[in-house]
Every structure is written in structure tokens, then in C-alpha cells.
């Protein structure tokens, strides 16, 4: 199952008890998945979904919340569009449902963005609106450079309304037009995970984060395997040399080392490939790069002085030609 299908399958099973949230989800689903049609002088609502569970969820909500009956029509996939499509259709009471959900305003005109009651709703209802929009026309791509959570929108007004809804949740989303189609896109990995969590796709978040972490680890391993950058190579060798000297310093000084110098030395030994700046961030409390470098220099200088007094090899004696080839 694709990531998108997994997310929709999970979202279609999220339990929502609050009536206002169910109304917000239905309104958003109908707005992003369907449209209003006039057939024989009567307003008919149709919402086309690509997930059977989502279609049944919408039909149940229309009946339980608004008391209207609807039909589900299965449209088989073809050469251009694979997979079945599920059309939820409300015929007899289409106009009443359109007015109740806010798809028609007080004058009977179609609403181009999201209904006002959804735009000004509570945070919980805003989350429900995003859930409905994703169930209608959302997609989630694999983690990586092009990772994105995306919703195809019926128009620019709906896209801007969805961007505003994301902003209310403290998340950054952007509206853009691609080949005449309006879309809302969330690209930041943390924002994608947060939005999926808020909507209720907890299992999908874990799967997405696992793939994201695996990709990052694989990328790091590849960068290390292709260690052909001279500056990185020199930095790594310098870090290895410093670690060896620190180890020798502890052997020379034994227990007679100030605590702050011990801390800096231990950080160097525990994180042999880390830069001085990274060591500073790992310190508790955090230190600047210069502070870490200064403490390690004092540790080595103290050890070299003690070695001279004792007549034993100093910290530089531990270095090999490979370490010195910086």
C-alpha cells in the first residue's frame, strides 16, 4: 500500500465525536472532492474520492449529521486513471445539504473558498477540515528532497483558505499553481509529521518517519563512503589525531585533571568524528566552538608539561604518519 493510501485508510477510521468537527470535515471533503451540479433544475452534490473507506465515511456523516441519504457509485479505473473511484451523490436533498454545509451562501451562490463557519472555526474543527481536504484530494510522497504533503484544490480561493487553516495550526503551507491546477503543499518534514499527527494518522506518521530516518542514515553512510572531499578528510583526520592525544593525556594525568577539562576531553573521545562546533552543542551546558578548542588545548598542554616532568612520552608521541597527513 502506498503512503497516500495508508494515510487515507487510517484517516477514514478516525473517530470524531464533536458535531462541529464532523460538519467541518464534511464541508471540506465536499468542497475539495466534489461540486454542485444542476440536473433537471435540481441541485445535485457529487464528491469523487479514490478511497472506499473515505467514501463510506462521508456517506455515513451526511446521514448521521444532516439526515440526508446519498448513494455511492463505483467508477472503474481506465488507461489514464488507475484504480476505482467512488462518487458519493446526493440528489433529492442536494440543495438543502449545500446550504447546511455552507457550499451555498445566503443568496444561493456557490462559495469559492471554504465556508465561513469552517474558516472561523476552532482549532479542532480546523484539523477536521484539513482531514476532509486530504481525504478528498491529498497525497503524501516518500521522504527525501522532494518529500511533500499536497492537496489539490478546486480553485485559488480554496487553496488560500487551506493555507490559512494550516497557519492557524502553527504550520507552514504554500499555495501554488502548476499547469493550471491549484495546490497546497507542505514540504518541511517536521511540519508534515505534525500535520499527519494532528489529523490522526499516527501509524502513518511512524511509517513515514521510519522511512525518513532510514533515508537520512543511508545518505550519511553514502557521504562517509564517498569521503573524497579534502576538507572533510582533513577535518576527520584532525579529529582522530585530537582524540588520540586526549586519550594519551588522560593516561599521563590520571585522576589529576580539572573537571571542565575532563568534560571536554570525554566529548572528544565519545564523538571522534564530530566538529568542535558539534561538540559544543553536545556539551551540558552548551559551549562555543572556541571554548571547546581552548579546553582541549589546555588539557593537552597540561599533559605535555607533566610528561616532561616525568620523563615519559608526551601526547604527540601517540600520533601516526596517517594522522599527521593533514
Amino acid at each position: 500500500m502506498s503512503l497516500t493510501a495508508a494515510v487515507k485508510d487510517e484517516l477514514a477510521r478516525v473517530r470524531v465525536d464533536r458535531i462541529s468537527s464532523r460538519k467541518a470535515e464534511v464541508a471540506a471533503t465536499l468542497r475539495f472532492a466534489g461540486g454542485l451540479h444542476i440536473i433537471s433544475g435540481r441541485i445535485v452534490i457529487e464528491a469523487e474520492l479514490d478511497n472506499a473507506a473515505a467514501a463510506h465515511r462521508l456517506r455515513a456523516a451526511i446521514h448521521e449529521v444532516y439526515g440526508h441519504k446519498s448513494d455511492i457509485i463505483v467508477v472503474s479505473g481506465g488507461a489514464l486513471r488507475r484504480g476505482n473511484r467512488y462518487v458519493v451523490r446526493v440528489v433529492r436533498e442536494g440543495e438543502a445539504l449545500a446550504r447546511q454545509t455552507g457550499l451555498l451562501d445566503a443568496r444561493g451562490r456557490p462559495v469559492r473558498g471554504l465556508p465561513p463557519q469552517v474558516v472561523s472555526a476552532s482549532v479542532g474543527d480546523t484539523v477536521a477540515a484539513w482531514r476532509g481536504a486530504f481525504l478528498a484530494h491529498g497525497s503524501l510522497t516518500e521522504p527525501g528532497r522532494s518529500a511533500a504533503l499536497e492537496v489539490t484544490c478546486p480553485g485559488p480561493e480554496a487553496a488560500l483558505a487551506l493555507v490559512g487553516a494550516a497557519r492557524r495550526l502553527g504550520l507552514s503551507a504554500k499555495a501554488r499553481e502548476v499547469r493550471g491546477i491549484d495546490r497546497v503543499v507542505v514540504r518541511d518534514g517536521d511540519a508534515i509529521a505534525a500535520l499527519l499527527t494532528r489529523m490522526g494518522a499516527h501509524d502513518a506518521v511512524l511509517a513515514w518517519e521510519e522511512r525518513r530516518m532510514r533515508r537520512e542514515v543511508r545518505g550519511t553512510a553514502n557521504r562517509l563512503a564517498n569521503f573524497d572531499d579534502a576538507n572533510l578528510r582533513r577535518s576527520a583526520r584532525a579529529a582522530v589525531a585530537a582524540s588520540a592525544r586526549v586519550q594519551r593525556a588522560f593516561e599521563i594525568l590520571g585522576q589529576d585533571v580539572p573537571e571542565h577539562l575532563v568534560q571536554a576531553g570525554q566529548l572528544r573521545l565519545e564523538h571522534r568524528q564530530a566538529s568542535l562546533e558539534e561538540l559544543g552543542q553536545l556539551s551540558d551546558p552548551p559551549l562555543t566552538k572556541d571554548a571547546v578548542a581552548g579546553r582541549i588545548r589546555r588539557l593537552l598542554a597540561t599533559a605535555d608539561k607533566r610528561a616532561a616532568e616525568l620523563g615519559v612520552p608526551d601526547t604527540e608521541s601517540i600520533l601516526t604518519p596517517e594522522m599527521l597527513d593533514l
Side-chain angles (χ1 to χ4, degrees):
M1 182 182 294
S2 68
L3 275 174
T4 297
V7 173
K8 290 186 177 182
D9 194 61
E10 185 174 3
L11 291 182
R13 290 167 172 76
V14 172
R15 180 181 175 85
V16 180
D17 296 322
R18 186 173 177 176
I19 296 298
S20 61
S21 294
R22 297 190 73 183
K23 288 182 176 181
E25 183 180 314
V26 170
T29 304
L30 293 177
R31 184 71 186 93
F32 283 82
L36 305 178
H37 307 280
I38 298 180
I39 300 177
S40 301
R42 176 185 296 172
I43 293 179
V44 175
I45 291 181
E46 288 186 346
E48 184 176 319
L49 304 167
D50 60 3
N51 183 279
H56 287 287
R57 177 186 180 89
L58 176 61
R59 186 188 186 198
I62 290 174
H63 177 68
E64 294 170 5
V65 176
Y66 296 103
H68 301 312
K69 294 182 179 180
S70 60
D71 299 314
I72 294 182
I73 302 172
V74 180
V75 180
S76 300
L80 297 178
R81 180 179 287 181
R82 296 181 179 179
N84 292 336
R85 312 288 294 181
Y86 306 87
V87 179
V88 180
R89 177 181 291 175
V90 181
V91 179
R92 293 184 56 185
E93 299 158 319
E95 182 174 354
L97 179 61
R99 292 184 181 278
Q100 289 172 315
T101 55
L103 298 182
L104 290 178
D105 63 16
R107 297 183 179 181
R109 298 173 301 185
V111 172
R112 301 181 67 85
L114 281 172
Q117 65 266 31
V118 176
V119 173
S120 60
S122 64
V123 171
D125 295 350
T126 301
V127 171
W130 252 99
R131 186 189 304 113
F134 189 90
L135 285 171
H137 259 305
S139 63
L140 178 64
T141 57
E142 291 282 345
R145 291 183 178 180
S146 60
L149 186 151
E150 187 173 280
V151 176
T152 302
C153 306
E157 297 86 357
L160 291 176
L162 198 58
V163 168
R167 190 179 301 116
R168 292 196 64 196
L169 300 178
L171 303 172
S172 176
K174 292 184 178 180
R176 63 175 186 169
E177 183 181 332
V178 181
R179 293 189 291 274
I181 300 176
D182 293 285
R183 305 175 188 275
V184 171
V185 183
V186 180
R187 290 202 175 279
D188 179 73
D190 293 336
I192 291 174
L195 183 54
L196 289 173
T197 301
R198 296 290 288 271
M199 290 191 296
H202 302 291
D203 292 340
V205 169
L206 294 177
W208 192 85
E209 287 284 20
E210 181 182 356
R211 297 186 192 186
R212 179 186 178 193
M213 184 178 300
R214 189 184 306 137
R215 188 180 184 91
E216 291 176 354
V217 169
R218 188 185 302 118
T220 300
N222 289 339
R223 285 194 297 272
L224 292 175
N226 300 322
F227 224 66
D228 56 356
D229 184 272
N231 289 330
L232 288 176
R233 214 163 39 240
R234 283 195 291 267
S235 297
R237 287 175 177 170
V240 170
S243 299
R245 292 190 66 191
V246 167
Q247 183 67 50
R248 175 59 183 162
F250 284 149
E251 294 174 358
I252 295 171
L253 295 174
Q255 300 296 322
D256 190 17
V257 187
E259 183 177 350
H260 65 290
L261 300 187
V262 171
Q263 180 190 21
Q266 289 291 350
L267 282 173
R268 178 75 281 171
L269 293 178
E270 293 170 2
H271 307 279
R272 294 175 182 265
Q273 298 291 343
S275 65
L276 291 172
E277 184 175 359
E278 291 170 334
L279 292 182
Q281 294 172 354
L282 292 168
S283 176
D284 184 20
L287 299 172
T288 64
K289 175 177 67 175
D290 293 338
V292 175
R295 292 186 180 187
I296 292 177
R297 280 198 302 270
R298 287 195 294 276
L299 173 64
L300 298 179
T302 302
D304 288 340
K305 182 179 179 181
R306 177 67 59 84
E309 295 173 352
L310 298 176
V312 298
D314 60 15
T315 60
E316 292 188 355
S317 66
I318 200 70
L319 301 181
T320 64
E322 289 79 11
M323 296 178 186
L324 294 174
D325 184 20
L326 302 177

